[in-house]
């Protein structure tokens, strides 16, 4: 029997299915519309940016680093363009095989390999690192023909820093080097992160470091349209980089080079300052080094030679070397005694070549008795006994409180990084410097040797030069500085480097005049008279000899019996002309003996250069280097006749 279908029920079920399918379709359509609205409206800007990012690439344009010039416009640091062969380790496969294959195309020395290995240790795997620098055009062409064989290897055109004067003034000028991890972290935490995109180098020392923000410039960008494979198709827009500003220094590079020549192979430092404004005219530290070694990454051999040398050529002795300053401290002790009322100019002290305090005998250098001395003779003839007693009468804390405003044991504020404080002792200093109770106590006998610049006294040559300049300027202290002005390379506008206002220390003019007159006596009839014989100007100065090691109470100093590094340091401070000083300086020649015979002759040549425009003769330079010169010998040359570069 045939079953009859219920047409009405079938139709109902069909309609239900149609509604369900329609609802599903409608729901799907609504979801599509909602998704479309979400993508086209809600996330429109984000997705448009992603699409544009897939189509384009933003390439940073590294700015040209600014120039550094001396006070006369001589270029001390510049840039030059060169090709480099660079490897991105994460893209290059087996590095050793890659480098060996590249060595068949371009010359790669063992030094290049060692430097690359060191850069890898200091950098991340995805960074492009230079393997060879300064490729010739022929080498670039050879590599370009086989570039397809070397994924992760490319030739780049880069600007390199150049220091045309090499070792001259390298501690002051500094150098640049590759940005390390610590510097990257610091940049990422600062507002300058975007400005260092694409930048591999940064100032590491000296002016290059302290004026980094002026020298670096502003990074530009190029927006490039790229293919699906990432190749640049065309430039869409460009915002050029702004070159760094030119920094003009107060240094006179020819004076600087002359002083370094006068030192020869000896260790030491010299700082010359214009007392009227604090401009640093010369900052010498010997031995020195060639900053060009650091530009591309210094190799292991050179780094080891510099870092392990007993002469410490990387140490800026003017800024970071600390020394007992010997008798050059006496003029300041004399001024302290006058200002605090502990002495009058005419008060007499009997100098019998030694002075005993607490059972200990403090002797004069050479054991020469000077008889009755007042302030003038004590400075001119360098009486130890006089200043032993001054120190004892003043006490350590009074000495500290007077010397600190002069800059001893203080940060001078010079516009260079890395300045050290040294030690200006006080009772509070000793309590904080030592741990054991008996060491933390200040003993009265420890004060005595402070009067002649020995004992715990340890100052930088910059501090000594700064104090001398302040004294020469009547007690008005200017912050020493190397930066004179910056020049905007786009507008050519010059902007003076900001510096603090001068500070008047409030010394009585009569007291300052007493000390300056005694220092003039040093050059006219005292310990420095032979060196300044025949000078066309009058200068004031003070010789100094500072112990490098302690000599026993009953022993006599004999340089011939001591190792070279144990011998006394030779020092000299000076200013000129005496009436209206335009230059003041401090100089030390390490382990060289008597200040008048070794350090003062260098000062004389500096003054002749600055005040008379005279450059020493060849034979005179040779004599000064050997410590055999007093007054200049030979016919001096005119400064303008001396070429800038040999």
């Amino acid at each position: 029997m045939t079953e009859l279908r219920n047409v009405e029920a079938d139709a109902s079920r069909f309609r239900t299915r149609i509604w369900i399918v329609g609802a599903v379709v409608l729901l799907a359509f609504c979801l599509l519309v909602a998704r479309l609205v979400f993508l086209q409206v809600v996330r429109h800007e984000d997705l448009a940016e992603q699409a544009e990012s897939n189509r384009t690439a933003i390439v940073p344009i590294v700015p040209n680093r600014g120039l550094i010039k001396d006070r006369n416009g001589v270029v001390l640091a510049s840039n030059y363009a060169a090709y480099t062969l660079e490897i991105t380790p994460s893209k290059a496969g087996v590095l050793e095989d890659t480098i060996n294959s590249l060595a068949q195309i371009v010359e790669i020395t063992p030094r290049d390999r060692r430097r690359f290995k060191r850069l890898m240790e200091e950098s991340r795997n995805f960074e492009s690192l230079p393997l060879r620098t300064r490729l010739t055009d022929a080498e670039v062409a050879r590599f370009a023909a086989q570039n397809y064989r070397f994924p992760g290897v490319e030739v780049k055109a880069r600007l390199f820093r150049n220091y045309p004067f090499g070792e001259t003034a390298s501690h002051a000028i500094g150098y640049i080097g590759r940005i390390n991890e610590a510097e990257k972290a610091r940049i990422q935490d600062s507002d300058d992160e975007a400005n260092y995109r694409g930048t591999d180098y940064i100032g590491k020392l000296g002016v290059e470091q302290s004026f980094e923000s002026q020298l670096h410039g502003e990074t530009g960008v190029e927006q490039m349209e790229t293919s699906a494979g990432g190749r640049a198709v065309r430039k869409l827009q460009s915002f050029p980089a702004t070159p760094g500003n030119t920094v003009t220094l107060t240094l006179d590079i020819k004076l600087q080079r002359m002083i370094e020549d006068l030192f020869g192979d000896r260790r030491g430092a010299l700082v010359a300052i214009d007392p009227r404004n604090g401009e640093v005219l010369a900052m010498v530290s010997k031995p020195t080094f060639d900053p060009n070694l650091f530009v591309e990454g210094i190799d292991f051999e050179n780094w080891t030679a510099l870092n392990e040398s007993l002469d410490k050529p990387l140490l800026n002795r003017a800024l970071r070397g600390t020394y007992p300053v010997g008798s050059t401290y006496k003029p300041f002790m004399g001024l302290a005694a006058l200002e605090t009322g502990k002495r009058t100019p005419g008060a007499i002290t009997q100098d019998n070549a030694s002075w005993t305090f607490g059972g200990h005998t403090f002797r004069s250098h050479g054991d020469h008795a000077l008889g009755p001395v007042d302030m003038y003779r004590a400075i001119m003839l360098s009486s130890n006994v006089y200043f032993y007693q001054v120190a004892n009468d003043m006490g350590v804390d009074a000495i500290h409180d007077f010397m600190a405003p002069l800059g001893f044991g203080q940060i001078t504020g010079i516009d260079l990084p890395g300045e050290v404080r040294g030690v200006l002792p006080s009772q509070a200093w000793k309590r904080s410097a030592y741990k054991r109770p008996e060491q933390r106590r200040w003993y009265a006998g420890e004060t005595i040797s402070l009067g002649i610049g020995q004992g715990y006294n340890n100052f930088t040559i910059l501090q000594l030069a700064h104090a001398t300049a302040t004294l020469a300027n009547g007690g008005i202290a200017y912050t020493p500085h190397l930066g004179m002005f910056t020049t905007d390379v786009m507008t050519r506008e010059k902007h003076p480097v900001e510096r603090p206002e001068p500070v008047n220390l409030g010394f009585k003019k009569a007291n300052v005049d007493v000390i300056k007159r005694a220092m003039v006596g040093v050059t006219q009839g005292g310990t420095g008279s032979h060196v300044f014989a025949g000078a066309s100007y009058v200068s004031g100065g003070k010789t100094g000899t500072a112990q490098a090691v302690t000599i026993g109470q009953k022993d006599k100093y004999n340089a011939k019996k001591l190792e070279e590094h144990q011998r006394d340091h030779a020092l000299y401070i000076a200013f000129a002309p005496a009436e209206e000083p335009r230059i003041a300086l401090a100089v030390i020649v390490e382990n060289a003996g008597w200040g008048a015979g070794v350090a003062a002759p260098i000062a004389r040549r500096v003054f002749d250069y600055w005040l008379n425009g005279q450059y020493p003769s060849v034979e005179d330079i040779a004599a000064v280097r050997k410590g055999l010169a007093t007054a200049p010998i030979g016919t001096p040359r005119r400064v303008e006749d001396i070429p800038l570069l040999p």
Side-chain angles (χ1 to χ4, degrees):
M1 179 176 176
T2 304
E3 183 181 354
L4 295 175
R5 298 181 64 183
N6 188 333
V7 176
E8 187 63 31
D10 289 346
S12 176
R13 285 194 297 272
F14 181 74
R15 283 192 298 271
T16 300
R17 291 171 183 165
I18 291 295
W19 279 107
I20 292 173
V21 171
V24 171
V25 171
L26 180 61
L27 178 62
F29 183 74
C30 289
L31 290 174
L32 286 173
V33 171
R35 182 64 176 170
L36 184 63
V37 170
F38 177 74
L39 294 176
Q40 294 292 332
V41 178
V42 178
R43 294 198 59 199
H44 171 75
E45 292 185 3
D46 183 36
L47 294 174
E49 186 176 330
Q50 287 186 32
E52 185 67 12
S53 148
N54 291 332
R55 185 181 72 92
T56 63
I58 302 298
V59 180
I61 304 173
V62 179
N64 291 351
R65 193 169 179 85
L67 304 179
I68 300 176
K69 297 182 177 181
D70 85 336
R71 65 186 300 116
N72 299 311
V74 179
V75 176
L76 308 179
S78 59
N79 309 301
Y80 68 92
Y83 291 111
T84 64
L85 183 65
E86 303 197 5
I87 300 178
T88 304
S90 61
K91 301 178 181 179
V94 181
L95 277 177
E96 191 64 29
D97 293 344
T98 299
I99 294 174
N100 289 335
S101 297
L102 287 169
Q104 298 174 8
I105 301 172
V106 299
E107 182 183 7
I108 298 174
T109 65
R111 177 179 180 273
D112 294 327
R113 292 173 184 261
R114 288 191 296 269
R115 183 182 60 201
F116 182 78
K117 181 179 179 181
R118 186 172 60 82
L119 289 174
M120 279 191 61
E121 294 170 351
E122 298 173 354
S123 307
R124 296 176 181 174
N125 202 37
F126 55 81
E127 293 180 351
S128 178
L129 304 175
L131 174 63
R132 249 295 305 279
T133 58
R134 304 191 219 186
L135 297 177
T136 65
D137 291 341
E139 288 174 324
V140 171
R142 288 201 302 270
F143 173 78
Q146 302 190 52
N147 191 9
Y148 67 92
R149 294 174 47 201
F150 302 100
V153 183
E154 58 185 331
V155 170
K156 291 185 178 181
R158 290 189 180 273
L159 284 177
F160 287 88
R161 202 65 161 164
N162 178 50
Y163 303 99
F165 288 88
E167 295 186 356
T168 303
S170 59
H171 291 97
I173 299 169
Y175 59 86
I176 66 169
R178 291 187 69 86
I179 299 174
N180 59 35
E181 291 299 319
E183 290 160 341
K184 284 178 186 174
R186 189 180 71 245
I187 291 170
Q188 289 169 356
D189 292 338
S190 71
D191 296 334
D192 288 331
E193 182 178 6
N195 197 35
Y196 277 82
R197 287 185 60 194
T199 299
D200 294 324
Y201 296 88
I202 196 170
K204 296 280 188 177
L205 190 74
V207 171
E208 289 278 27
Q209 182 180 2
S210 59
F211 285 85
E212 171 67 24
S213 60
Q214 292 284 348
L215 293 165
H216 178 263
E218 296 180 11
T219 299
V221 294
E222 280 184 345
Q223 187 178 28
M224 306 294 294
E225 183 177 354
T226 59
S227 66
R231 287 184 174 275
V233 176
R234 63 190 177 98
K235 184 190 298 182
L236 298 177
Q237 56 180 340
S238 177
F239 300 93
T242 302
N245 294 333
T246 296
V247 175
T248 299
L249 306 182
T250 59
L251 289 179
D252 183 318
I253 195 62
K254 194 179 287 188
L255 172 64
Q256 177 88 17
R257 194 186 69 191
M258 181 196 79
I259 298 169
E260 292 185 13
D261 285 346
L262 290 169
F263 268 90
D265 294 330
R266 298 174 296 179
R267 299 179 303 275
L270 181 148
V271 177
I273 298 175
D274 187 333
R276 302 169 299 178
N277 50 34
E279 292 180 356
V280 176
L281 310 176
M283 176 177 276
V284 171
S285 175
K286 290 283 291 183
T288 184
F289 64 92
D290 186 355
N292 291 298
L293 294 172
F294 291 86
V295 173
E296 303 169 24
I298 189 168
D299 62 274
F300 178 78
E301 287 81 3
N302 279 313
W303 171 250
T304 301
L306 291 173
N307 198 42
E308 296 182 1
S309 170
L310 295 177
D311 290 334
K312 298 181 179 179
L314 295 177
L315 172 66
N316 186 342
R317 285 169 159 82
L319 195 70
R320 297 182 57 81
T322 58
Y323 306 89
V325 294
S327 293
T328 60
Y329 204 49
K330 291 175 181 175
F332 306 103
M333 285 296 300
L335 183 60
L338 295 175
E339 288 286 314
T340 57
K342 296 296 183 181
R343 289 291 185 279
T344 62
I348 299 296
T349 295
Q350 183 66 29
D351 183 338
N352 293 323
S354 65
W355 188 64
T356 301
F357 179 86
H360 183 92
T361 299
F362 296 86
R363 299 188 315 211
S364 291
H365 196 77
D367 294 331
H368 297 305
L370 299 175
V373 292
D374 58 6
M375 181 71 73
Y376 179 88
R377 281 174 49 81
I379 292 175
M380 184 181 74
L381 301 178
S382 200
S383 169
N384 282 1
V385 171
Y386 184 95
F387 289 102
Y388 287 148
Q389 296 185 32
V390 167
N392 182 58
D393 291 346
M394 288 189 64
V396 60
D397 287 341
I399 295 172
H400 172 277
D401 293 346
F402 183 85
M403 297 299 179
L406 279 164
F408 289 108
Q410 315 300 311
I411 298 298
T412 66
I414 192 172
D415 45 1
L416 284 181
E419 181 182 5
V420 300
R421 189 177 294 274
V423 176
L424 176 63
S426 67
Q427 293 189 68
W429 165 81
K430 198 176 184 192
R431 284 194 296 268
S432 64
Y434 292 93
K435 294 182 179 179
R436 297 209 305 265
E438 65 274 17
Q439 291 179 315
R440 301 178 70 197
R441 178 185 172 189
W442 187 270
Y443 297 92
E446 294 175 315
T447 306
I448 309 305
S449 57
L450 300 182
I452 62 167
Q454 295 282 168
Y456 290 112
N457 286 329
N458 261 288
F459 311 124
T460 68
I461 298 305
L462 173 62
Q463 291 171 355
L464 186 58
H466 173 50
T468 304
T470 301
L471 174 61
N473 202 38
I476 299 175
Y478 285 87
T479 300
H481 57 276
L482 280 167
M484 183 179 287
F485 58 84
T486 61
T487 304
D488 189 309
V489 295
M490 306 301 290
T491 65
R492 301 298 177 187
E493 292 181 359
K494 295 181 179 180
H495 304 281
V497 175
E498 293 185 6
R499 50 184 178 268
E501 290 295 316
V503 177
N504 190 333
L505 300 184
F507 299 149
K508 295 178 182 178
K509 184 178 184 302
N511 291 337
V512 173
D513 288 345
V514 168
I515 303 303
K516 291 173 68 175
R517 187 166 61 251
M519 293 178 72
V520 169
V522 170
T523 67
Q524 300 301 302
T527 53
S529 58
H530 294 299
V531 174
F532 285 88
S536 62
Y537 50 84
V538 176
S539 68
K542 182 68 190 78
T543 57
T545 304
Q547 290 181 349
V549 294
T550 302
I551 303 297
Q553 183 177 355
K554 297 181 179 180
D555 297 329
K556 289 188 176 182
Y557 176 81
N558 187 337
K560 295 179 180 179
K561 294 183 178 180
L562 296 173
E563 297 291 335
E564 191 267 347
H565 67 278
Q566 295 179 323
R567 296 170 187 168
D568 290 349
H569 301 314
L571 297 101
Y572 192 71
I573 61 172
F575 58 85
E579 315 80 43
E580 295 182 1
R582 304 201 303 271
I583 183 172
L585 61 77
V587 55
I588 184 170
V589 184
E590 292 182 11
N591 311 118
W594 191 38
V598 179
I602 297 177
R604 166 69 191 271
R605 277 71 179 171
V606 173
F607 287 173
D608 286 352
Y609 177 105
W610 195 252
L611 301 177
N612 296 339
Q614 294 178 342
Y615 203 96
S617 65
V618 174
E619 58 267 37
D620 191 38
I621 292 175
V624 173
R625 284 179 174 180
K626 296 176 181 177
L628 302 177
T630 52
I633 60 175
T635 302
R637 297 167 285 179
R638 296 189 307 171
V639 169
E640 57 267 28
D641 293 338
I642 303 300
L644 283 169
L645 290 171

